[in-house]
Amino acid sequence: MTSTQQSPSVEDVRAALKDVYDPEIKKPITDLGMVKDVVVGDDGVVTVSVYLTVAGCPLKDTITRDTTKAVGKLDGVRDVRVELDVMSDEQRTELRKSLRGDAAEPVIPFAQPGSLTRVYCVASGKGGVGKSSVTVNLAVAMAERGLSVGVVDADIYGHSVPRMLGATEKPTKVDTMIMPPQAHGVKVISIGMFTPGNTPVVWRGPMLHRALQQFLADVFWGDLDILLLDLPPGTGDIAISVAQLIPNAEILVVTTPQQAAAEVAERAGAIAMQTRQRLAGVIENMSWLETPSGERMEIFGAGGGQTVADSLSKSTGAKVPLLGQVPLDPRLREQGDAGTPLVLAEPEAPAAQVLKDVAKQLSVRARGLAGMMLNVTPKGR
Ligand SMILES: Nc1ncnc2c1ncn2[C@@H]1O[C@H](COP(=O)(O)OP(=O)(O)OP(=O)(O)O)[C@@H](O)[C@H]1O
Ligand SMILES: [Mg+2]
């Protein structure tokens, strides 16, 4: 850069700052009232003062880096200095109002008429069939497809989603909004993020309902294409709460091939009929183990997924598809423990391929009558 070059104007710098996005809110810092001041020196040194939404914002380094980069690109800039300040309570309240409106009670955006977010609840009758594993793999596979995805770990007692996604950061609070951490491009919230260490949660029904409501209403999700909820096993309080809070949520039933498990899974699916929720489909997990010689060992039997799909189709009077059969693969567990879902860590693995295919089916599916309660009773019942 030559010394004869003119320094940019303050307007030029402000225009360049439109390219700097708040990493949590995903909007330009110029739109969020986060630019406190811009000073351009004759010597080409530009000082930008930025308001962080909260003190100790975990993403301040990202904001500083992006600001330096955006302003540094301008002609005539010799150096960029970023000074950080923190918003006052009033500023935070203003910001919250500009993002969420001025409603006294927080509303659940996904339950509003016209919401474009598809909500899938991953449910099962039995525990340990792979709901959480399926949830995180579908989430990152959908994010990879370019969709904006959020995950709610609604398994308040057995929260495992943050670990499986490798989401180590804590949520931050801006006024009354909770900013969800992100991992692999997916926004995630879990009760595990609010309890110290591994403290077990011993909450009763009404508190669970309140916690879920908060996750849905107080968390700033932005415009999501897909929201996945990882439900606890069984047909308990949380499933009913979800149905009340987001009536348009669709149910994904996970089962193993085992007949006994399939019967339990059917009951979990049947709750959708009482709550009049749509059944998006069935995913069979742990379907077989492929031996090195290419043989399929059916460790947990066969046919459970198809049985559940057929039975739910019959009882709802609409086709409930078997979306996929995910084989057993030790790498699925290992990568889950390591915080990188299989579809990212080993995309070529057969189990990853099936999960990616299910993610595709659920992403491109147009809204239709599939799996919807038609209010008819099949003959002979
Ligand atoms: N296809 C698979 N191959 C190998 N291991 C798997 C597979 N699916 C799940 N697992 C492993 O099985 C265990 C249970 O899976 P997961 O936690 O996803 O089930 P869950 O239904 O969410 O359980 P819970 O009911 O306790 O919430 C985990 O250790 C997981 O890594
Ligand atoms: Mg689970």
Side-chain angles (χ1 to χ4, degrees):
M1 208 154 293
T2 61
S3 53
T4 51
Q5 204 158 14
Q6 264 208 329
S7 299
S9 68
V10 171
E11 288 68 42
D12 293 339
V13 175
R14 285 194 177 267
L17 289 172
K18 288 199 173 88
D19 292 337
V20 180
Y21 278 61
D22 178 90
E24 285 178 318
I25 305 175
K26 301 245 189 281
K27 292 204 165 136
I29 58 170
T30 44
D31 290 359
L32 299 172
M34 289 172 66
V35 180
K36 182 183 176 189
D37 198 15
V38 173
V39 177
V40 181
D42 293 338
D43 51 358
V45 176
V46 179
T47 308
V48 183
S49 311
V50 178
Y51 281 120
L52 298 175
T53 48
V54 285
C57 172
L59 299 161
K60 63 172 187 270
D61 293 341
T62 313
I63 296 178
T64 304
R65 193 188 59 226
D66 292 353
T67 303
T68 309
K69 199 167 148 207
V71 177
K73 274 196 215 150
L74 292 173
D75 285 341
V77 173
R78 200 167 55 78
D79 195 13
V80 185
R81 294 184 191 151
V82 181
E83 291 176 354
L84 300 175
D85 197 351
V86 178
M87 283 186 174
S88 64
D89 287 346
E90 291 73 37
Q91 284 170 308
R92 272 193 287 270
T93 303
E94 277 310 307
L95 174 63
R96 194 249 311 150
K97 282 184 190 164
S98 79
L99 291 171
R100 310 277 318 243
D102 205 2
E105 266 294 296
V107 293
I108 295 176
F110 317 111
Q112 302 310 304
S115 162
L116 295 175
T117 308
R118 297 197 77 121
V119 183
Y120 292 114
C121 298
V122 183
S124 77
K126 266 167 56 108
V129 298
K131 286 176 304 300
S132 304
S133 306
V134 164
T135 305
V136 297
N137 275 285
L138 289 181
V140 295
M142 287 166 166
E144 256 202 323
R145 301 181 61 82
L147 299 178
S148 169
V149 183
V151 177
V152 171
D153 184 359
D155 190 348
I156 308 268
Y157 300 112
H159 45 83
S160 50
V161 166
R163 185 205 177 99
M164 286 184 178
L165 273 175
T168 47
E169 275 170 11
K170 296 266 171 202
T172 50
K173 244 186 135 191
V174 176
D175 196 39
T176 53
M177 287 187 303
I178 301 168
M179 298 295 176
Q182 296 182 42
H184 307 298
V186 170
K187 292 180 182 165
V188 55
I189 207 84
S190 164
I191 196 79
M193 296 169 176
F194 300 88
T195 54
N198 259 339
T199 320
V201 179
V202 275
W203 287 2
R204 294 179 202 290
M207 282 170 79
L208 289 178
H209 186 87
R210 176 73 195 118
L212 188 63
Q213 189 172 30
Q214 259 204 321
F215 282 177
L216 297 167
D218 295 350
V219 171
F220 181 72
W221 292 102
D223 290 327
L224 290 184
D225 295 309
I226 306 267
L227 180 73
L228 290 161
L229 288 98
D230 180 23
L231 298 193
T235 50
D237 294 339
I238 283 281
I240 310 268
S241 284
V242 172
Q244 285 171 356
L245 295 168
I246 328 175
N248 52 316
E250 300 171 55
I251 313 285
L252 278 172
V253 180
V254 180
T255 182
T256 63
Q258 202 172 350
Q259 289 305 326
E263 282 161 27
V264 187
E266 255 171 66
R267 284 204 287 279
I271 197 168
M273 284 177 264
Q274 289 160 29
T275 55
R276 314 190 66 76
Q277 285 174 295
R278 197 190 289 240
L279 282 157
V282 177
I283 300 168
E284 187 185 89
N285 187 28
M286 311 187 180
S287 298
W288 54 75
L289 180 71
E290 199 165 306
T291 62
S293 58
E295 214 182 310
R296 286 181 177 182
M297 280 175 66
E298 292 172 335
I299 311 249
F300 294 115
Q306 193 62 57
T307 305
V308 177
D310 290 347
S311 154
L312 291 175
S313 299
K314 198 168 152 213
S315 42
T316 55
K319 176 124 184 86
V320 179
L322 174 61
L323 296 165
Q325 293 175 289
V326 184
L328 276 161
D329 189 335
R331 291 173 293 180
L332 194 144
R333 175 181 48 75
E334 287 158 16
Q335 297 299 350
D337 288 346
T340 310
L342 189 77
V343 295
L344 284 185
E346 310 257 359
E348 298 309 320
Q353 297 279 332
V354 176
L355 287 159
K356 281 165 79 147
D357 180 63
V358 174
K360 183 176 167 193
Q361 294 177 58
L362 295 173
S363 306
V364 300
R365 217 158 58 96
R367 280 188 188 274
L369 288 175
M372 187 145 129
M373 274 299 297
L374 293 179
N375 208 12
V376 290
T377 313
K379 256 175 96 174
R381 284 188 104 213

